[in-house]
Amino acid sequence: MVTSYPVPEGFTEIEVFGIGTILLAEALLGFLLNGLTILSFYKVRELRTPSNLLIISLAVADIGLCMNAFIAAFSSFLRYWPYGSEGCQIHGFQGFVAALSSISSCAAIAWDRYHQYCTRSKLHWSTAISVIMFLWGFSAFWSVMPLFGWGEYDYEPLRTCCTLDYSKADRNFISFLFPLAFFEYLIPLFIMMTAYQSIHQKMKKSGQFKFNAGLPVKSLAICWGPYSLLCFYAIIQDATILSPKLRMMPAVLAKISPAVNAYIYGLGNEGYRGGIWQFLTGQKVERTETDNKSN
């Protein structure tokens, strides 16, 4: 006989099922698109460049986010978290590593594209590998800190997934949040803004607008901005006074970022799109200069 668990406080049964369905759809779409990005890189020789290795770093991080969303969706359908407190800590850590690495990879791609368009210098394999090792290591450092007591992982309002606990907003949370936000959100956002602004000015002078230079920055702000605002709101005001449904919205919105990133950096990249087409159909596109064509 299947045990029936109560609906999480502040939600109806339809809302819990609806959130689980959205999370599942986001996870499936992101997994499909980023998996296609990775397989194309592996199968198509022309795509194997240092610049595209940064895109693979982003795709791997985003697949990690999709796995996190899969688990959250499954738990939502169960209406409870089945993996205990230790599972909650692991889920929070895994999600944070993936999220921070995804944001940092976006910044690394922007930095690389600035050099491609503005300084005409190409990325070397050694530099690309070093950048990826640093950003993943730095993301792991911040993600592991709550496991050692600086910050804390706990349940989301739906209580079917886990993330950084902002409900207490004590000195421990504040001392962790400010450097985390500075190094892992504000600095990447600044790098992206300045890099793409410089690229836009360069394209404006040449009259050749090869892509929308504002789209990557907008997507990062839209997907992760609400979550950041919620964490900072918790510092000045008790966030638990907000309805549980409202507090779940930033987390659900952030989970769409893997699909958005795959579209912007993979499918939206002219050279990479040609490689994906070649992988899917076997038809080689005339021009696949992935170092010079980017989104």
Side-chain angles (χ1 to χ4, degrees), residues 211-234:
F211 63 93
N212 184 350
L215 189 57
V217 177
K218 290 176 183 176
S219 68
L220 181 69
I222 291 172
C223 291
W224 291 105
Y227 194 89
S228 301
L229 288 175
L230 177 61
C231 289
F232 278 103
Y233 177 82

Side-chain angles (χ1 to χ4, degrees), residues 192-228:
M192 292 178 67
M193 289 176 63
T194 53
Y196 285 116
Q197 186 177 25
S198 299
I199 293 170
H200 176 75
Q201 293 298 324
K202 188 77 173 180
M203 290 191 300
K204 190 176 180 180
K205 289 181 180 179
S206 66
Q208 297 178 348
F209 292 91
K210 297 181 179 180
F211 63 93
N212 184 350
L215 189 57
V217 177
K218 290 176 183 176
S219 68
L220 181 69
I222 291 172
C223 291
W224 291 105
Y227 194 89
S228 301

Side-chain angles (χ1 to χ4, degrees), residues 33-83:
L33 295 178
N34 284 286
L36 184 60
T37 300
I38 294 172
L39 283 175
S40 298
F41 179 87
Y42 176 72
K43 291 290 187 179
V44 180
R45 183 178 58 82
E46 290 85 354
L47 290 181
R48 296 181 209 142
T49 67
S51 292
N52 283 341
L53 189 63
L54 298 179
I55 295 179
I56 295 304
S57 172
L58 175 61
V60 170
D62 284 340
I63 280 184
L65 270 176
C66 293
M67 293 171 59
N68 191 271
F70 270 126
I71 294 172
F74 176 73
S75 302
S76 297
F77 293 141
L78 294 178
R79 299 193 305 188
Y80 81 107
W81 178 257
Y83 307 109

Side-chain angles (χ1 to χ4, degrees), residues 50-264:
S51 292
N52 283 341
L53 189 63
L54 298 179
I55 295 179
I56 295 304
S57 172
L58 175 61
V60 170
D62 284 340
I63 280 184
L65 270 176
C66 293
M67 293 171 59
N68 191 271
F70 270 126
I71 294 172
F74 176 73
S75 302
S76 297
F77 293 141
L78 294 178
R79 299 193 305 188
Y80 81 107
W81 178 257
Y83 307 109
S85 58
E86 288 188 3
C88 179
Q89 298 302 302
I90 294 172
H91 186 253
F93 168 77
Q94 186 271 335
F96 239 61
V97 170
L100 297 181
S101 298
S102 175
I103 294 170
S104 298
S105 294
C106 289
I109 292 169
W111 166 78
D112 173 49
R113 290 176 174 177
Y114 164 78
H115 286 291
Q116 287 184 35
Y117 282 94
C118 299
T119 68
R120 298 297 179 184
S121 58
K122 290 186 177 182
L123 186 65
H124 297 289
W125 281 105
S126 58
T127 305
I129 293 171
S130 297
V131 168
I132 290 170
M133 290 179 63
F134 171 77
L135 68 87
W136 276 89
F138 201 52
S139 298
F141 167 79
W142 287 106
S143 301
V144 81
M145 285 298 103
L147 301 180
F148 290 99
W150 192 24
E152 182 180 350
Y153 294 125
D154 205 348
Y155 299 105
E156 291 272 19
L158 194 61
R159 302 193 67 79
T160 57
C161 48
C162 300
T163 188
L164 184 67
D165 181 22
Y166 52 79
S167 62
K168 299 183 182 67
D170 53 13
R171 183 177 298 178
N172 180 48
F173 170 76
I174 295 172
S175 67
F176 178 71
L177 178 64
F178 274 100
L180 170 70
F182 179 75
F183 287 111
E184 292 286 8
Y185 184 72
L186 295 179
I187 287 182
L189 185 61
F190 175 77
I191 291 172
M192 292 178 67
M193 289 176 63
T194 53
Y196 285 116
Q197 186 177 25
S198 299
I199 293 170
H200 176 75
Q201 293 298 324
K202 188 77 173 180
M203 290 191 300
K204 190 176 180 180
K205 289 181 180 179
S206 66
Q208 297 178 348
F209 292 91
K210 297 181 179 180
F211 63 93
N212 184 350
L215 189 57
V217 177
K218 290 176 183 176
S219 68
L220 181 69
I222 291 172
C223 291
W224 291 105
Y227 194 89
S228 301
L229 288 175
L230 177 61
C231 289
F232 278 103
Y233 177 82
I235 294 176
I236 59 176
Q237 184 70 48
D238 182 7
T240 58
I241 66 172
L242 301 174
S243 71
K245 288 190 284 287
L246 185 61
R247 285 183 283 137
M248 274 302 300
M249 288 176 62
V252 173
L253 181 61
K255 294 292 194 302
I256 195 63
S257 63
V260 173
N261 288 339
Y263 170 75
I264 292 175

